[in-house]
Amino acid sequence: MSFGARVLKTGIAVTLSLYISILLHFSMPVIAAVAAIFAMQPSIYRSWRYFLDQIQTNTLGAAMALIAGMFLSKDPFAIGIVCILVIMICLKLKMEETIGLTLVTVIAVMEASGQWDFALTRFLLSLIGIGSAFIINILFFPPKPKEQFVKQIQTVFNKLSLLLRTVVSDEIKESVFRVEKHSLENEIKSLAQKYSLFEEELKKLKKSKYSQIRHLVVYKQMLTTLHKGAEVLDAVEQHYFQAARTEEMDAYFDLHLEKFIKYHEHVLLKFGDKLKPDSSENERMEQVNDEFMKTMINGYSEEREGLLRLSIVAAAMYDYCFQIGRLDKQVEQFNHKSPEEKETVEKLLSWFKK
């Protein structure tokens, strides 16, 4: 985890929960602090869902622990049995994320050996921690996965662009390539997580508006296109340099990779409304992509030896450009959709969301 708003908010939530516990003269305020740490979530929707789920499972767990504590005291074996039962119930309710904090509540309550006033205090400490995290997450730097996604897209593309432009020409050091490629893979995973949070929040927390759903479609294609670009890197690493090649072939692949990455950059600039409307680029690149693949197919049929592995790289490049073309068309629709077309597009988008 890198330092960011969530790290800062976790510290604030812990501080708030401790202060509230001290002001209310509760013993063992550390329980509230632990609860606040567990309860900090990466989106507002997840914070709300986690808050509701924890209320349910903590209440159930505290009740079971209180009853068990009355009859079995704080015997370690009994605590273990109750923990197992609580885990089974949480799994049955499909609330796996609440298990950790619920078990903290169970153990804390059973330590009170059936004394309901101490048990209630320790249960309330857990609720204070959960509530503190929920409030801080909403009031201070509320999570904005959409804005984070858009901001990170350009960073990930720049890293992908650097690697694609140097991988075939073999200009980049192998050690640097591996480090940068690993970093790119992590960035794409992070981007996918932000997209999932945005999609989840849009679908679950509030009614989706037409414009928001259109954003969702374009963002998903942006993510798909980056994945396809990363697959080109994998194909080059695994097959390109192991195949028999000529200098002309290297130049040919390098030239088309340059064209594809420029096209990708062109589409991102178009989405940012930095370019004049132009639909001819899509048609031109479709033709370039088709000619590139036909050349590889014809070359393979004429001279099979050494070109089979190159065809795998060519197929990955073709798919990458094809996905850029799809993104280009979606950006065109996004920027120029008229109100009269909304009903038709809504049907397409509803199918897309299934």
Side-chain angles (χ1 to χ4, degrees):
M1 178 189 293
S2 60
F3 182 81
R6 190 177 174 189
V7 175
L8 181 62
K9 289 190 292 185
T10 300
I12 297 174
V14 169
T15 303
L16 178 62
S17 63
L18 289 173
Y19 268 120
I20 294 174
S21 301
I22 293 171
L23 287 173
L24 295 176
H25 303 289
F26 285 156
S27 60
M28 294 187 68
V30 68
I31 296 175
V34 171
I37 294 171
F38 273 101
M40 188 57 65
Q41 296 295 307
S43 72
I44 293 177
Y45 167 71
R46 288 195 179 181
S47 292
W48 175 245
R49 189 187 67 184
Y50 189 84
F51 178 77
L52 295 179
D53 290 350
Q54 283 289 3
I55 293 295
Q56 297 176 58
T57 57
N58 267 265
T59 302
L60 181 61
M64 292 177 60
L66 181 60
I67 295 172
M70 289 179 178
F71 293 98
L72 303 174
S73 187
K74 53 182 179 181
D75 179 71
F77 183 77
I79 294 176
I81 293 296
V82 174
C83 286
I84 293 173
L85 292 175
V86 169
I87 292 173
M88 292 173 63
I89 293 172
C90 290
L91 293 175
K92 187 69 175 178
L93 296 174
K94 297 182 179 180
M95 296 180 180
E96 295 87 348
E97 293 182 358
T98 66
I99 290 175
L101 185 52
T102 302
L103 292 181
V104 171
T105 302
V106 168
I107 295 171
V109 171
M110 287 198 72
E111 280 292 313
S113 303
Q115 299 179 48
W116 70 268
D117 52 340
F118 287 102
L120 179 61
T121 297
R122 296 180 183 184
F123 172 65
L124 290 175
L125 283 168
S126 295
L127 296 187
I128 288 172
I130 298 169
S132 297
F134 178 67
I135 293 170
I136 294 299
N137 205 26
I138 293 176
L139 296 181
F140 291 87
F141 310 108
K144 297 179 179 179
K146 174 185 171 182
E147 287 77 2
Q148 293 170 349
F149 181 91
V150 174
K151 185 177 180 181
Q152 194 173 350
I153 274 285
Q154 189 61 47
T155 303
V156 178
F157 168 75
N158 291 340
K159 195 178 291 290
L160 174 66
S161 172
L162 171 66
L163 292 175
L164 286 176
R165 284 186 163 116
T166 56
V167 64
V168 170
S169 60
D170 203 19
E171 296 173 323
I172 192 170
K173 292 181 179 179
E174 185 176 347
S175 59
V176 176
F177 174 80
R178 293 189 180 280
V179 171
E180 290 296 320
K181 184 171 178 289
H182 181 69
S183 175
L184 174 67
E185 291 169 351
N186 290 335
E187 292 272 5
I188 292 177
K189 288 179 182 177
S190 173
L191 205 58
Q193 292 171 356
K194 288 181 174 62
Y195 171 82
S196 297
L197 290 173
F198 172 53
E199 181 184 39
E200 180 183 61
E201 195 168 89
L202 192 63
K203 292 180 178 179
K204 303 284 187 177
L205 193 61
K206 54 191 174 184
K207 187 177 180 180
S208 302
K209 296 180 180 178
Y210 171 76
S211 60
Q212 292 171 326
I213 298 176
R214 288 171 64 196
H215 272 100
L216 203 60
V217 174
V218 176
Y219 292 159
K220 185 168 186 178
Q221 185 59 32
M222 283 182 175
L223 187 59
T224 299
T225 305
L226 289 171
H227 274 295
K228 293 301 179 180
E231 287 178 9
V232 173
L233 292 173
D234 290 334
V236 171
E237 185 178 20
Q238 296 175 21
H239 300 285
Y240 189 80
F241 295 106
Q242 291 78 7
R245 313 177 323 277
T246 62
E247 291 185 4
E248 291 76 12
M249 187 65 70
D250 287 343
Y252 186 71
F253 271 81
D254 199 27
L255 174 65
H256 280 80
L257 271 177
E258 182 68 24
K259 289 180 179 179
F260 295 163
I261 200 68
K262 282 186 176 180
Y263 182 35
H264 195 168
E265 183 179 33
H266 176 88
V267 175
L268 292 179
L269 289 171
K270 185 188 294 185
F271 178 75
D273 200 23
K274 297 178 181 178
L275 299 178
K276 297 178 181 179
D278 179 21
S279 58
S280 60
E281 183 70 9
N282 181 269
E283 297 175 359
R284 187 181 73 81
M285 288 306 301
E286 279 187 358
Q287 185 177 357
V288 170
N289 199 27
D290 289 344
E291 289 176 355
F292 167 72
M293 200 63 202
K294 286 177 182 178
T295 300
M296 291 306 302
I297 293 173
N298 293 335
Y300 175 70
S301 63
E302 293 172 5
E303 184 183 0
R304 296 189 176 185
E305 185 178 357
L307 289 179
L308 181 58
R309 300 184 84 167
L310 289 181
S311 67
I312 298 175
V313 180
M317 290 172 59
Y318 178 85
D319 195 18
Y320 173 49
C321 188
F322 176 78
Q323 296 300 333
I324 299 173
R326 289 190 63 184
L327 177 60
D328 192 5
K329 292 176 182 177
Q330 290 179 6
V331 169
E332 285 283 341
Q333 293 173 353
F334 178 83
N335 289 338
H336 302 100
K337 189 59 61 185
S338 63
E340 291 76 13
E341 297 174 288
K342 287 186 178 182
E343 184 177 353
T344 302
V345 177
E346 283 284 11
K347 294 179 181 179
L348 293 173
L349 293 177
S350 63
W351 174 84
F352 177 86
K353 290 172 67 178
K354 291 180 181 178

